[in-house]
Amino acid sequence: MAKLKQLGFDSVRVEPFEMQTWMRGEESAELISPFPQPLEITSLGGSVATPEQGLEGELVPFASLAELRAAAPGSLDGKIAYVGHAMQRTQDGSSYGFYGELRRVGASVAAGKGAIAVLIRSIGTDSHRFPHTGQMNYQDDMPRIPAAALSNPDADQIERVASRGQPMQLRLKMMPEVVGTTESGNVIAEIRGRENPEEVVIIGGHLDSWDLGTGAIDDGAGVAITTAAAKLILDAGKRPRRTIRLILWGAEEVGLLGGRAYLERHRDALEQQLIGSESDFGAERVWQLTAQVSEQAQPVVDLIGELLAPIGVARGDMDKPGGGPDLIPMVEAGMPTLRLVQNGTDYFDLHHTHDDTLDKIEAAALDQNVAAFAVFAWLAADSNVNFRQ
Amino acid sequence: MAKLKQLGFDSVRVEPFEMQTWMRGEESAELISPFPQPLEITSLGGSVATPEQGLEGELVPFASLAELRAAAPGSLDGKIAYVGHAMQRTQDGSSYGFYGELRRVGASVAAGKGAIAVLIRSIGTDSHRFPHTGQMNYQDDMPRIPAAALSNPDADQIERVASRGQPMQLRLKMMPEVVGTTESGNVIAEIRGRENPEEVVIIGGHLDSWDLGTGAIDDGAGVAITTAAAKLILDAGKRPRRTIRLILWGAEEVGLLGGRAYLERHRDALEQQLIGSESDFGAERVWQLTAQVSEQAQPVVDLIGELLAPIGVARGDMDKPGGGPDLIPMVEAGMPTLRLVQNGTDYFDLHHTHDDTLDKIEAAALDQNVAAFAVFAWLAADSNVNFRQ
C-alpha cells in the first residue's frame, strides 16, 4: 500500500477477506530399511499432521497416479504409498496440470486403498535436493492422511531401491497445523480512466508465496512486472480512456482465495471488467500471446501482437481462455483474457521450493515482460471496443 | 570389506584408527531486522555450539577475509561477523585453497576482533539454497566461537541489505557436539604383485563424506573409479610385477586422519610405497595428467600420457607434487605421485552440500576415469623403475 501510494497510483486500497491459515511445522523422514537414509521431504499445503511421535510403515512404490488408482482397496492397509511420475519440461508449462493432479488428489486416492500416509515425487523438473510443496486437497469421504513431497534426487534413490525389489520401511514426522482464521486481501491500485473510469482492464500478480522460498519468481516477479508496467503508463502522463486496475492478489497458492473474493465483491460490476491478464509464471521472457476476446476486439489484439513481435512474442491460439490463475473465477463468470505466455522451461526447477530466490532473475528478461504488459494495458484501456461481446 | 572380498581382491583388511567425532545438531538462523528472513545455514565441521537458547547480535558485513583481518581489535565485541568472498569456478579447482582459508580460519580471526559468532558465504560456486559445510579449525589462543556457512542466495540477500546501509540483527542457533572417541579405519584391498609384492602402487578414494549429502561425488565416485580400475586389472587375469594397493581412506574430511594413520603405520616401509594417486575430485572427466617422479621413471609417465591422450587427457606440469588429499602425509614423507586431474568446473556446486547425490553422476564420465586409473595402476605396478629416485 505504502509503495503503491508513493508511486502515485489512484485509489490505492485493500479489499480484505478471511482465510483458514495452515502452517508448516517440524518435518522429517528417513528410510529405516533396507538401510538408513535421511530423506528431504516437505509437507504438502493443507496436509494433516502425523502423530507427534511420527509414524512408520512399509513404503509401497507406485510409478504413477494411474498405477496407485489401480491398486486394490485394502492393499495398502497400514502402509505408506510412494508415488512417482515422469514430469518433463515444457515451454508453456502445460505438463503442470497433468502431473500436478498427483499432488492435489494423491492423498485421498491412497487413503482409499488403506494407506496411512502418502509420499510423492516432487511436482518439479529439477534434480536438486529441494522438495516442492504446493496445495493438496482431501475428498470428504476419505480418511485424511499426511501427504508429503520428496525431492527428486531422493525419489530417484527410492526408485533405485524399489527396482531391486528390496522392501522399504519409512519413518515420517510432520507437524503442520491449521492456526485458524486470518485476514488476507487483494491490494489494488489504479490509473483512473479519463472517459469511462468505471470500465476496467485488470493486470497484476499475486502477493502470497510458499513459505519455503522467498517468492521471488512465484510471484514477486509478476507483482514487479505488472506494477512497473502500470508505472510506465502513469509516468507517460497520459491517461487511457478506461481504468487500468492493478490487482496484487492475496492467497493465490491456497486455492485462488483472492480471485474468488474479488468475484464476490464485484458481482454487480461484472460487465465493466472488460479484460484481464495476470503475470504468474516466473521471470523468463514472454514468447507467446494467446487470447479469447470478442470479434470486434480482435483488431486490438492484432495491434498488441504486431507491437510485441519485435521483442520475441509470437501469436498463439486466439480462442484460448485463461489469463492467469487469479482470473479463473472471473473467466468462469465470462471475463475475456489475454495471456502473455512466459517461457516456463525452467520454471518448475524453482517453483514452490527453498530455491525460489532473487538470484534466479535476469533483469533484462523482466524488462521485456514490463514492455509487453505496458503495451497490453495501454492499448486495452485506451481502446473503445467491447472485449466481452 | 564384504564387497572387496566378493570382488576377489587379495589381503582385504581394515587398518583401524581412533578419532574424535563431531556431530551436527539442530541448526537455524534468521535475520530479525531490518525485516524477518529465515536463512539457510549449516554449522562448519568442528564448530562449537551456541547457547541452547541461541544467540543474537548485530551482523557486521565484511567483503572478504582480508577485510575482516583489517578490522580493529574489539570492533566486533558482542557482534556477529558476516564474511563474503568472490570464489569463481576453475577447471582445476585451484581457487578452493585460496577461498577455503576463510572457512578454515575465519572463526579465530573474527574472535580476535571480539565477535561472538561468524557466518561465512559458502565456499561454493552454485546459486542454490544449499549451505556448504566443511572442516574448520580454532587457534589455541583465541576464544572458540560458533561458525556457520550461509547458502549463496542467502549471502546475496545479506549483501543486498548491507549495501543499503541497513543495520542487521541476526539470531543463530547451532547445537553440534563432540560425541567422543570413535573408531574409523582405512579399508585396504590388493592385487598382489608377482615379482616384488612388497613394492606398492597406491590408488583409492575416501569412504567418509559430509553428513548433509550422500557423498556420491565426494567421494563415492573416487571409491568407485579406483575400485573398478583395480577390478579391471584383476579380471584381466595377469598380475603386475608389484602390488597394487587400493586404499579406501577413512576420515578424510575432518583432517586427513586416514592418511596420517597410514603414514604412522607404514613408516618402516616408506621406501616400498613407490607412487600413489587418489581420485577425490568428483565424477567428471580427467582432462590433465600431472606428476612428480624420478628422472628414470619419466618414460613410464610418458607412456601413460600417450595412452591417455586419445581419451582427452593432456599433459600438465611434471614437477607438481600432490596426488590427492589423503596422500599429503605420504607426499610430505617423500612419496612420488601422479594426478589424474578431473574437470572441477562444477565440483563446488555440489561439494559438501545436501545436493551431493547420485543423479549428478554421468556413467560415461566414470568410465573414462576408470580407464585412466587402470592405465596408471597397471603401468606403474608392472614397471621395474624406481619412481622415488
Side-chain angles (χ1 to χ4, degrees):
Chain A
M1 292 269 291
K3 182 72 177 175
L4 293 169
K5 284 179 183 167
Q6 180 208 324
L7 291 173
F9 289 111
D10 306 320
S11 309
V12 177
R13 62 191 186 273
V14 181
E15 293 182 354
F17 55 86
E18 291 195 332
M19 62 182 286
Q20 287 295 303
T21 294
W22 174 95
M23 279 186 69
R24 190 179 312 283
E26 182 193 338
E27 49 191 20
S28 65
E30 48 187 328
L31 210 55
I32 300 166
S33 68
F35 49 77
Q37 172 92 51
L39 300 171
E40 293 292 327
I41 63 126
T42 199
S43 305
L44 295 180
S47 174
V48 296
T50 63
E52 200 168 326
Q53 71 279 17
L55 55 79
E56 279 188 33
E58 185 188 342
L59 188 65
V60 182
F62 294 91
S64 65
L65 178 59
E67 200 180 274
L68 175 67
R69 281 192 164 123
S75 62
L76 296 178
D77 282 354
K79 300 176 180 175
I80 301 169
Y82 164 80
V83 194
H85 57 78
M87 184 175 175
Q88 301 294 317
R89 295 170 189 281
T90 57
Q91 189 176 12
D92 65 359
S94 54
S95 60
Y96 184 50
F98 179 74
Y99 293 105
E101 189 185 6
L102 169 59
R103 193 187 74 209
R104 295 186 295 271
V105 309
S108 290
V109 175
K113 315 298 182 182
I116 57 171
V118 65
L119 187 63
I120 67 166
R121 176 184 278 273
S122 282
I123 307 302
T125 50
D126 61 301
S127 196
H128 293 294
R129 220 143 159 238
F130 297 116
H132 294 233
T133 190
Q135 191 67 13
M136 53 82 64
N137 301 108
Y138 291 111
Q139 266 178 247
D140 285 340
D141 57 347
M142 288 293 164
R144 298 182 165 222
I145 62 172
L150 188 61
S151 89
N152 283 325
D154 291 88
D156 293 345
Q157 176 77 334
I158 292 294
E159 293 176 19
R160 276 191 295 267
V161 175
S163 73
R164 296 176 177 184
Q166 293 171 301
M168 293 179 283
Q169 194 77 9
L170 187 88
R171 184 181 296 136
L172 178 68
K173 182 176 182 184
M174 296 161 35
M175 294 282 106
E177 51 180 335
V178 174
V179 295
T181 302
T182 55
E183 188 177 291
S184 180
N186 296 321
V187 176
I188 297 180
E190 295 181 349
I191 301 174
R192 196 172 158 79
R194 68 176 191 274
E195 288 185 9
N196 304 98
E198 73 290 355
E199 292 185 351
V200 173
V201 170
I202 296 173
I203 60 173
H206 65 83
L207 284 170
D208 62 311
S209 71
W210 282 102
D211 55 327
L212 300 176
T214 67
I217 71 149
D218 184 12
D219 185 29
V223 167
I225 288 163
T226 53
T227 303
K231 175 67 174 162
L232 268 185
I233 292 170
L234 189 69
D235 289 352
K238 211 177 139 190
R239 278 175 187 268
R241 277 199 175 85
R242 294 144 163 179
T243 292
I244 295 171
R245 181 171 290 168
L246 174 71
I247 308 181
L248 307 182
W249 305 90
E252 186 271 345
E253 296 291 1
V254 291
L256 314 181
L257 304 189
R260 296 185 208 287
Y262 185 85
L263 173 62
E264 287 317 310
R265 183 181 284 255
H266 296 271
R267 266 201 193 283
D268 295 341
L270 278 187
E271 290 299 314
Q272 281 81 51
Q273 317 285 311
L274 294 183
I275 186 167
S277 186
E278 184 180 18
S279 175
D280 181 25
F281 197 49
E284 300 291 338
R285 284 174 167 72
V286 177
W287 65 282
Q288 194 187 50
L289 166 68
T290 62
Q292 191 189 45
V293 300
S294 65
E295 191 71 26
Q296 64 161 301
Q298 200 58 52
V300 178
V301 175
D302 290 343
L303 181 56
I304 293 170
E306 274 174 46
L307 290 174
L308 298 188
I311 59 170
V313 182
R315 291 292 291 270
D317 292 340
M318 286 298 119
D319 56 354
K320 191 161 182 169
D326 288 293
L327 300 177
I328 290 174
M330 293 296 289
V331 169
E332 288 170 354
M335 186 178 77
T337 54
L338 180 143
R339 188 172 167 218
L340 298 162
V341 189
Q342 290 168 283
N343 186 343
T345 306
D346 300 332
Y347 184 63
F348 295 104
D349 288 353
L350 304 170
H351 178 250
H352 296 187
T353 72
H354 291 80
D355 218 16
D356 178 357
T357 51
L358 188 58
D359 52 298
K360 311 304 185 303
I361 293 181
E362 183 205 349
L366 282 192
D367 288 346
Q368 190 252 17
N369 278 270
V370 171
F373 265 93
V375 165
F376 161 68
W378 174 265
L379 288 181
D382 201 48
S383 81
N384 53 13
V385 301
N386 189 338
F387 288 87
R388 300 182 71 97
Q389 57 192 348
Chain B
M1 291 269 291
K3 183 72 179 176
L4 293 169
K5 283 179 183 166
Q6 180 209 323
L7 291 174
F9 289 111
D10 305 320
S11 309
V12 177
R13 63 191 186 274
V14 180
E15 293 182 353
F17 55 86
E18 290 194 333
M19 62 181 288
Q20 287 295 302
T21 294
W22 174 93
M23 279 186 67
R24 191 179 311 284
E26 182 193 339
E27 49 191 21
S28 65
E30 49 187 328
L31 211 54
I32 301 166
S33 67
F35 49 77
Q37 171 93 51
L39 300 171
E40 294 292 327
I41 63 126
T42 199
S43 305
L44 296 180
S47 174
V48 296
T50 63
E52 200 170 325
Q53 72 279 17
L55 54 78
E56 279 188 33
E58 186 187 340
L59 188 65
V60 182
F62 295 90
S64 65
L65 178 59
E67 200 179 273
L68 175 66
R69 281 189 164 125
S75 61
L76 295 179
D77 283 354
K79 298 175 181 176
I80 302 169
Y82 164 81
V83 194
H85 57 79
M87 183 174 177
Q88 302 293 316
R89 296 171 188 281
T90 57
Q91 189 176 11
D92 66 359
S94 54
S95 60
Y96 184 50
F98 179 75
Y99 293 106
E101 190 185 6
L102 169 59
R103 192 187 75 209
R104 294 187 296 271
V105 309
S108 291
V109 176
K113 314 299 183 180
I116 56 171
V118 66
L119 187 62
I120 68 166
R121 177 184 277 273
S122 282
I123 307 302
T125 49
D126 61 301
S127 198
H128 293 295
R129 223 147 155 234
F130 297 115
H132 295 233
T133 191
Q135 191 68 10
M136 53 82 63
N137 302 107
Y138 291 110
Q139 264 177 247
D140 286 340
D141 58 347
M142 287 293 164
R144 298 182 165 222
I145 62 173
L150 188 60
S151 89
N152 283 326
D154 291 87
D156 292 345
Q157 177 77 333
I158 291 294
E159 293 177 18
R160 276 191 294 267
V161 175
S163 72
R164 295 177 178 183
Q166 293 172 301
M168 293 179 283
Q169 195 76 10
L170 187 87
R171 183 181 296 136
L172 178 68
K173 182 175 183 183
M174 296 161 36
M175 294 282 105
E177 51 180 335
V178 174
V179 296
T181 302
T182 54
E183 189 179 289
S184 181
N186 297 321
V187 175
I188 297 181
E190 295 181 350
I191 301 175
R192 197 171 158 81
R194 68 176 191 273
E195 288 185 10
N196 306 98
E198 73 289 356
E199 293 184 351
V200 172
V201 170
I202 296 173
I203 60 172
H206 65 83
L207 284 170
D208 62 311
S209 71
W210 282 103
D211 54 328
L212 300 176
T214 67
I217 70 148
D218 184 12
D219 184 27
V223 167
I225 288 164
T226 53
T227 304
K231 174 69 174 162
L232 268 185
I233 292 170
L234 189 68
D235 289 352
K238 211 177 139 190
R239 279 176 187 269
R241 278 198 175 86
R242 295 144 162 180
T243 293
I244 295 172
R245 181 170 290 167
L246 174 71
I247 309 181
L248 307 183
W249 304 90
E252 186 272 346
E253 296 291 0
V254 292
L256 315 180
L257 303 189
R260 295 184 207 288
Y262 185 86
L263 173 62
E264 288 317 310
R265 183 182 284 255
H266 297 270
R267 265 200 192 284
D268 295 341
L270 278 187
E271 291 299 312
Q272 281 79 51
Q273 318 286 311
L274 295 183
I275 186 168
S277 186
E278 183 180 19
S279 176
D280 181 24
F281 197 47
E284 298 291 338
R285 284 175 165 72
V286 177
W287 65 282
Q288 194 187 49
L289 167 68
T290 62
Q292 190 189 44
V293 301
S294 65
E295 192 71 25
Q296 65 162 298
Q298 199 59 52
V300 179
V301 174
D302 291 342
L303 181 56
I304 293 169
E306 273 173 47
L307 290 174
L308 297 188
I311 59 169
V313 183
R315 292 291 291 269
D317 292 341
M318 286 297 120
D319 56 353
K320 192 161 182 170
D326 288 293
L327 300 176
I328 291 174
M330 294 295 289
V331 170
E332 288 170 354
M335 186 177 76
T337 55
L338 180 143
R339 188 173 167 215
L340 297 163
V341 188
Q342 290 167 283
N343 186 342
T345 307
D346 300 332
Y347 184 63
F348 295 104
D349 289 353
L350 303 170
H351 178 251
H352 296 187
T353 72
H354 291 81
D355 217 17
D356 178 356
T357 51
L358 189 58
D359 53 297
K360 310 305 185 303
I361 294 181
E362 184 205 349
L366 281 193
D367 288 347
Q368 189 252 18
N369 279 268
V370 171
F373 266 92
V375 164
F376 160 68
W378 175 264
L379 289 181
D382 201 49
S383 80
N384 54 12
V385 301
N386 189 338
F387 288 88
R388 300 182 71 96
Q389 54 193 344

